[in-house]
Amino acid sequence: MLTDADLDALLSGLHADPFSRLGLHADDAGRLWVRALLPGAAEVALLDADSHKRIVELAPRRDGLFEAQVPRRKHRFDYRFAVRWAGGGEGVYADAYGFLPQLGGDELKAFAEGRHMRPWLMLGAHPVQHGDVSGVRFATWAPNARRVSVVGSFNNWDGRRHPMRLRHEAGVWEIFVPHAAEGDLYKFEVIAGNGELLPLKADPYARRAQLRPETASIVAPLPERTPLPRQRERANRRESAISVYEVHAASWRRAASGDFPSWDELAAQLPAYAADLGFTHVQLMPITEHPFDGSWGYQTLGLHAPSARFGPPEGFARFVKACHDRGLGLLLDWVPAHFPTDAHGLAEFDGSRLYEYADPREGFHRDWNTLIYNFGRTEVRQFLIGSALYWIERWGVDGLRVDAVASMLYRDYSRPAGEWIPNLRGGRENLEAISLLREMNEQVGDVEGAITVAEESTSFPGVSAPTYAGGLGFHYKWNMGWMNDTLRYMAEDPINRRWHHDKMSFGLVYAFSENFVLPLSHDEVVHGKGSMLAKMPGDPNDANEWQKFANLRAYYGFMWGHPGKKLLFMGQEFAQAREWNHAESLPWGLLEDERHAGVQRLVRDLNKLYREQAALHRLDCEPGGFEWISAHDAEHAIYAWVRRDGTGRMVIVVCNMTPVPRDGYLLGVPDGVTAWREALNTDSAYYGGSNRGNGVAAAGLPVQSQPAHGRPLSIAIHLPPLATLFFVPI
């Protein structure tokens, strides 16, 4: 019989190896014993699984522990327990302790050695079938725990019921729980190495979770592999037109009740809207599970679970398909830089600082009050890289926009002197994070067509250079310098812009040092920064705010004509008047105002021109795609340049950043063209402007042999106030 010491350890949940005592076991004399720990059971009988005949009644020992010697049997056999519960009801159950180890030695070894880049195939909750028994295989990494149990709706949240088996070679705990099923709630009950019972932990690899404030994980199937459609592979390349519509899914179009939209509601509206406006990609702010709405998803604890705010995960699959059906790529914000300290999450997961750096000088973010992943730890690296691959391979998204890369690259990020730890070479770079990002980008780069985009705000070299050339390996990098400089310029009263002329042109000094995306993101319309429209100068006595709208239209024209891929945050496409509020729907009623509707029409036409004119996108990231015509006319705040596609096709872009029209303005032009046609004018009445311009006559504007801007040829144009114009050859 079971010793009192073993009995006490099992009942207290402290037994080091419950699989050695529960289930079927032979004693030293070769006799078989069977034991079951079933708190709440009144009677337990052992059945033969094949014949269903009763073999023996188990005797109760104490507090739900039952045992018996098995008569007439000398070898292990398949069995079941017939249980009558004290509270009423009865059933026949397979025994979790009657099954052999679930995870193979090779995959555990690969995980321990850092070679398992898809650990979600092994860890987490996986519905499986063993013979005629269906159930769920649970596994979690907790190497410093004394005991781990899986608790949930299938065992009355009782940590005594399903203590897990420790696979010492990898620090992984595992168990197969018969009769657990898809949709069951679960967590892990962990006893730390010092004997402390920790708060129940959600599964780091959960593929579904409860809606906050509830925090349980939910058993969900592993999505099937979903490769990118072939046309999406081509659409993500550097030579393609990429114009991104950034969306906060919870506030894009919220119901009047204030409820979150479902994935299916979003799928029915958002892709069609973005495609109609000519965007090539939708980018979602983080939709991985997170506890606090006000973090906008950037403080996530569920790197493998689409947020329950929008319904079950299968709805997200339909949303991805809806985007692709509309010819749109889908990018997801992905956050490997930090995680929140919530007790049910990754913080001190097994009682030790497991996922985070141990020293707060490395492992705590002052800016966000969050924890920093231990980027050098093998299992943490696999967790993060695996998450990146999971969204791309299993959900078919086009790529990831990686948040807060700068905070990962530098150990002294937002830290005063003396409060950070230098790297092994004595420097400030986080070598482990750099190595992680390179490996992640190499792994994602092996998936045909998938891309990664870095939000990186420093001058760290080679962010979008390939790893074999010493770069980080991202496909694109947000151009934060361009965004900051140009927004500062646009905020100036036009009369002062002559003193800030280089803010608009300086970006061309480094424009081709990376594969840049020009971002006007959510960060520019929160925390008191005001809306894009509110940033624009204008006469405060002008009730119609014509200068504010004209400035914004001209700025959008400048952005779409500038080298670099484009990104615009939702609401900016129709000149949202107030700062974005994550708890409210976008103010769609503004589109009843022609000024706002005109800005929306302009964005649609800018996207159309950008896609149709190869010169505006094919060499976005190469110096051969750009040539200044006029970069130094600070007195008149005029900029002009040529965009080229490398095959002879050209587009001329001209910006007038003052409210003074310039009629008969001589613009130097490249040779080889006899006439130019105005293809888009942000001052058009169609967009809400004064309708000054150069018309759309078929004959266009003839090239004349009159020098201008250091060129022998020119065209005479009407340059409207606060406007950007695009000209194409005839």
Side-chain angles (χ1 to χ4, degrees):
M1 297 181 70
L2 198 65
T3 67
D4 287 339
D6 275 333
L7 178 59
D8 290 342
L10 286 169
L11 293 177
S12 64
L14 293 175
H15 201 286
D17 186 11
F19 278 83
S20 69
R21 297 294 183 266
L22 300 176
L24 275 178
H25 296 281
D27 63 17
D28 292 341
R31 296 170 300 185
L32 279 182
W33 288 79
V34 65
R35 300 183 190 94
L37 181 54
L38 296 168
E43 295 177 0
V44 180
L46 181 68
L47 308 182
D48 184 287
D50 295 327
S51 66
H52 293 279
K53 289 182 179 179
R54 285 186 176 240
I55 298 172
V56 66
E57 300 286 332
L58 278 66
R61 283 285 298 273
R62 177 158 48 97
D63 297 338
L65 194 288
F66 296 79
E67 69 177 346
Q69 183 184 340
V70 182
R72 301 179 301 279
R73 302 275 179 137
K74 294 184 178 180
H75 304 287
R76 294 182 60 87
F77 60 96
D78 194 9
Y79 64 93
R80 302 287 183 268
F81 289 134
V83 181
R84 184 174 66 80
W85 299 99
E90 58 185 36
V92 175
Y93 308 96
D95 179 19
Y97 297 93
F99 291 86
L100 296 173
Q102 300 294 295
L103 300 175
D106 288 344
E107 59 182 336
L108 288 168
K109 181 180 180 182
F111 180 69
E113 294 176 352
R115 296 183 289 106
H116 202 316
M117 291 304 159
R118 293 163 182 81
W120 35 266
L121 292 171
M122 178 179 76
L123 301 176
H126 293 261
V128 294
Q129 186 85 19
H130 288 300
D132 63 345
V133 180
S134 62
V136 177
R137 184 193 75 211
F138 296 94
T140 194
W141 175 58
N144 302 306
R146 181 179 296 185
R147 187 267 285 164
V148 179
S149 292
V150 62
V151 297
S153 53
F154 44 81
N155 64 10
N156 203 30
W157 300 91
D158 189 335
R160 298 170 295 172
R161 287 283 301 278
H162 292 110
M164 303 169 77
R165 173 191 279 118
L166 174 59
R167 305 299 297 276
H168 293 270
E169 63 268 43
V172 169
W173 300 76
E174 52 133 52
I175 193 171
F176 171 69
V177 178
H179 318 300
E182 183 180 334
D184 282 347
L185 305 179
Y186 72 100
K187 283 188 177 182
F188 294 114
E189 183 182 274
V190 181
I191 296 178
N194 63 3
E196 178 188 359
L197 179 64
L198 302 179
L200 293 181
K201 293 290 188 177
D203 181 4
Y205 287 87
R207 293 184 290 279
R208 186 178 178 187
Q210 284 184 297
L211 177 61
R212 55 89 185 107
E214 303 301 326
T215 57
S217 302
I218 302 175
V219 177
L222 183 67
E224 296 292 330
R225 286 185 66 94
T226 307
L228 280 179
R230 183 63 62 180
Q231 65 270 26
R232 293 307 321 150
E233 295 177 14
R234 294 191 295 270
N236 296 331
R237 294 174 184 168
R238 198 172 71 152
E239 65 269 20
S240 300
I242 295 180
S243 180
V244 182
Y245 185 53
E246 185 192 23
V247 173
H248 179 254
S251 61
W252 181 72
R253 193 185 293 272
R254 214 157 182 170
S257 63
D259 291 341
F260 292 107
S262 70
W263 284 123
D264 288 321
E265 289 170 336
L266 287 166
Q269 301 177 66
L270 176 54
Y273 176 80
D276 175 68
L277 286 184
F279 289 100
T280 64
H281 291 69
V282 168
Q283 178 178 305
L284 296 180
M285 291 166 66
I287 53 90
T288 47
E289 197 55 79
H290 54 281
F292 177 48
D293 292 359
S295 78
W296 315 328
Y298 289 102
Q299 295 190 15
T300 179
L301 281 175
L303 278 183
H304 297 79
S307 176
R309 290 164 175 80
F310 313 108
E314 53 267 26
F316 179 64
R318 292 189 289 272
F319 177 80
V320 176
K321 184 177 185 301
C323 288
H324 287 161
D325 287 348
R326 289 281 183 174
L328 293 167
L330 179 62
L331 306 176
L332 299 184
D333 256 348
W334 183 65
V335 191
H338 59 126
F339 61 92
T341 60
D342 299 64
H344 72 279
L346 299 175
E348 297 189 357
F349 185 79
D350 66 355
S352 68
R353 289 183 173 134
L354 189 65
Y355 283 86
E356 64 268 40
Y357 283 110
D359 192 316
R361 291 175 296 172
E362 296 177 288
F364 186 76
H365 263 310
R366 292 166 164 264
D367 291 358
W368 305 306
N369 291 319
T370 53
L371 299 173
I372 302 172
Y373 290 103
N374 185 342
F375 300 121
R377 188 158 196 169
T378 295
E379 297 86 353
V380 175
R381 293 169 67 90
Q382 291 169 108
F383 171 73
L384 294 172
I385 294 171
S387 168
L389 291 172
Y390 174 75
W391 292 102
I392 289 169
E393 293 182 345
R394 294 287 167 160
W395 293 103
V397 304
D398 292 63
L400 304 173
R401 177 268 194 184
V402 183
D403 180 64
V405 170
S407 77
M408 299 173 67
L409 296 177
Y410 299 102
R411 288 175 163 269
D412 62 346
Y413 181 87
S414 196
R415 295 181 188 275
E419 296 189 21
W420 57 279
I421 300 175
N423 62 36
L424 293 175
R425 302 171 187 170
R428 58 193 285 259
E429 296 81 11
N430 189 322
L431 303 179
E432 297 94 342
I434 292 169
S435 170
L436 168 75
L437 291 169
R438 285 174 172 159
E439 188 170 10
M440 182 275 295
N441 283 320
E442 287 171 353
Q443 292 286 335
V444 171
D446 286 341
V447 181
E448 189 68 34
I451 58 174
T452 57
V453 183
E455 187 226 5
E456 201 285 310
S457 55
T458 74
S459 56
F460 190 93
V463 171
S464 59
T467 57
Y468 62 76
L472 292 183
F474 285 93
H475 295 81
Y476 300 98
K477 172 184 172 175
W478 276 19
N479 194 337
M480 312 293 280
W482 173 92
M483 177 267 299
N484 286 319
D485 286 347
T486 59
L487 283 179
R488 282 198 292 267
Y489 177 90
M490 293 305 301
E492 292 287 342
D493 188 290
I495 200 171
N496 296 325
R497 285 177 176 168
R498 70 186 69 186
W499 312 113
H500 304 276
H501 194 73
D502 63 335
K503 284 185 170 61
M504 297 291 267
S505 59
F506 181 69
L508 273 303
V509 173
Y510 60 88
F512 311 108
S513 61
E514 302 275 5
N515 300 329
F516 278 126
V517 174
L518 310 181
L520 295 178
S521 75
H522 66 276
D523 277 330
E524 308 320 309
V525 291
V526 292
H527 301 319
K529 296 179 183 177
S531 69
M532 290 301 300
L533 184 66
K535 297 178 194 299
M536 301 295 123
D539 185 344
N541 298 315
D542 178 12
N544 204 39
E545 296 184 311
W546 83 265
Q547 285 197 13
K548 280 185 172 291
F549 280 91
N551 269 298
L552 185 60
R553 294 192 306 267
Y555 182 48
Y556 285 171
F558 174 87
M559 173 179 173
W560 259 259
H562 194 286
K565 309 307 180 186
K566 325 300 175 190
L567 180 141
L568 198 66
F569 181 57
M570 66 179 198
Q572 297 178 10
E573 78 277 14
F574 57 79
Q576 181 172 343
R578 291 184 300 168
E579 187 172 279
W580 170 60
N581 184 340
H582 75 274
E584 298 177 357
S585 181
L586 290 182
W588 294 100
L590 289 178
L591 286 170
E592 297 176 8
D593 184 325
E594 272 300 303
R595 297 172 303 169
H596 294 274
V599 174
Q600 186 191 58
R601 287 192 288 266
L602 171 65
V603 170
R604 180 187 290 112
D605 285 355
L606 284 170
N607 276 328
K608 182 174 184 290
L609 187 69
Y610 175 62
R611 292 195 325 272
E612 291 179 348
Q613 296 292 330
L616 289 177
H617 65 255
R618 189 170 181 272
L619 298 182
D620 257 335
C621 306
E622 298 181 31
F626 179 89
E627 180 186 354
W628 278 115
I629 293 175
S630 176
H632 305 295
D633 190 356
E635 185 66 25
H636 302 104
I638 292 174
Y639 305 85
W641 63 86
V642 182
R643 296 294 309 277
R644 302 178 186 272
D645 75 343
T647 68
R649 288 174 289 191
M650 295 179 287
V651 175
I652 290 176
V653 185
V654 189
C655 304
N656 177 13
M657 292 302 183
T658 71
V660 179
R662 310 281 177 187
D663 292 331
Y665 182 83
L666 283 183
L667 179 70
V669 295
D671 56 12
V673 177
T674 58
W676 294 81
R677 174 179 61 85
E678 184 181 274
L680 189 146
N681 177 354
T682 66
D683 190 53
S684 166
Y686 183 61
Y687 309 132
S690 65
N691 216 33
R692 299 174 70 101
N694 301 276
V696 291
L701 302 170
V703 172
Q704 52 193 12
S705 297
Q706 187 167 347
H709 298 117
R711 298 170 182 267
L713 303 177
S714 64
I715 55 175
I717 64 174
H718 299 298
L719 196 51
L722 296 172
T724 297
L725 280 64
F726 294 76
F727 295 94
V728 296
I730 295 180

